[in-house]
């Protein structure tokens, strides 16, 4: 049985972390490995689309208003995937998980319970200016300057402490990757670090 590896991606809005997570998934599958890919935002959207019950409507209202779901809910969504799909041999890629400091120990507990020792945190590092330039050039209505600045401030307040938490934990290998490069170069740097 292949030893499972865990990869947790972090990055500001527009950093390309989702793209890099998908590229890593493709790379791993090309090596004959089986991958469980957990993207919290997509899980939330799938839940909203799954029916018209009270919880779906409540979730949709909160997300639509730009609010935050209580921590138990994203935790429930990703934990449910692990409970239903993890068999003891798959690699797991997390994208958009543990975006508040209260969630970080929950990830620890889950990985400890599953006896998963090979844990890598991949932080796609980009400057605020780079994010603003990239997102405003897309021309999307939700990419107003004030909206982007609000997301960056939220990241600084909530996600940066999570990064510090994982970087300080001996159980995790922590990689800082320069995201202000081409997609191909960022991916190459990730693979170089992971296979070093």
């Amino acid at each position: 049985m292949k030893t499972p590896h865990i990869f947790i991606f972090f990055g500001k809005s527009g950093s390309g972390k989702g793209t890099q997570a998908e590229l890593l998934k493709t790379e791993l599958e090309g090596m004959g490995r089986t991958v469980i890919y957990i993207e919290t935002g997509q899980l939330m959207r799938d839940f909203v689309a799954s029916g018209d019950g009270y919880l779906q409507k409540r979730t949709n209202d909160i997300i639509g208003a730009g609010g935050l779901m209580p921590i138990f809910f994203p935790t429930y969504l990703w934990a449910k995937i692990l409970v239903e799909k993890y068999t003891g041999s798959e690699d797991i890629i997390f994208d958009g998980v543990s975006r508040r400091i209260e969630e970080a120990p929950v990830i620890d507990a889950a990985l400890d319970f599953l006896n998963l020792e090979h844990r890598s945190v991949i932080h796609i590092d980009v400057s605020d200016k780079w994010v603003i330039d990239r997102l405003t050039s897309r021309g999307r209505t939700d990419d107003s300057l004030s909206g982007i600045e609000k997301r960056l401030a939220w990241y600084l307040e909530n996600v940066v402490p999570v990064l510090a938490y994982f970087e300080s934990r001996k159980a995790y290998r922590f990689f800082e990757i320069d995201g202000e490069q081409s997609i191909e170069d960022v991916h190459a740097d990730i693979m170089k670090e992971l296979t070093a």
Side-chain angles (χ1 to χ4, degrees):
M1 181 185 293
K2 295 173 180 173
T3 303
H5 286 69
I6 310 306
F7 307 95
I8 307 174
F9 277 83
F10 288 97
K12 297 171 184 172
S13 291
S15 66
K17 69 180 173 58
T19 298
Q20 293 302 326
E22 290 276 9
L23 287 172
L24 177 59
K25 178 178 182 287
T26 300
E27 188 94 33
L28 293 169
E29 289 173 341
M31 299 174 187
R33 303 180 72 88
T34 305
V35 180
I36 296 174
Y37 179 60
I38 296 175
E39 201 270 290
T40 307
Q42 189 60 52
L43 291 178
M44 208 81 73
R45 291 186 289 274
D46 290 346
F47 176 77
V48 169
S50 69
D52 58 358
Y54 174 77
L55 286 179
Q56 283 90 348
K57 289 177 182 176
R58 178 83 176 118
T59 301
N60 192 46
D61 288 346
I62 292 172
I63 293 172
L68 287 174
M69 291 296 289
I71 285 167
F72 91 90
F73 201 73
T75 301
Y76 158 75
L77 291 176
W78 62 254
K80 184 172 183 284
I81 297 294
L82 293 183
V83 168
E84 292 176 352
K85 295 187 176 181
Y86 185 67
T87 69
S89 62
E90 297 87 358
D91 292 333
I92 303 168
I93 296 176
F94 288 106
D95 175 8
V97 172
S98 191
R99 289 171 55 78
R100 286 172 279 182
I101 193 63
E102 297 89 347
E103 293 178 76
V106 182
I107 289 278
D108 269 344
L111 299 183
D112 288 346
F113 172 71
L114 296 173
N115 200 27
L116 295 166
E117 297 180 357
H118 298 278
R119 310 172 187 182
S120 297
V121 172
I122 301 161
H123 175 219
I124 310 296
D125 187 34
V126 294
S127 67
D128 286 1
K129 181 183 183 306
W130 191 90
V131 169
I132 291 168
D133 290 346
R134 183 163 189 256
L135 294 186
T136 53
S137 69
R138 296 194 307 193
R140 296 184 186 176
T141 55
D142 60 340
D143 283 339
S144 66
L145 180 58
S146 63
I148 295 166
E149 289 175 339
K150 185 177 178 182
R151 277 180 270 168
L152 289 170
W154 189 90
Y155 189 90
L156 178 64
E157 180 182 349
N158 293 278
V159 183
V160 168
V162 176
L163 291 172
Y165 174 90
F166 283 119
E167 192 170 12
S168 70
R169 303 281 290 175
K170 291 181 180 177
Y172 297 85
R173 294 195 307 162
F174 189 93
F175 301 108
E176 197 92 47
I177 304 294
D178 177 10
E180 297 185 17
Q181 311 178 76
S182 70
I183 291 171
E184 295 77 14
D185 286 345
V186 174
H187 176 63
D189 281 358
I190 290 171
M191 295 310 300
K192 180 181 176 182
E193 292 286 359
L194 292 178
T195 55

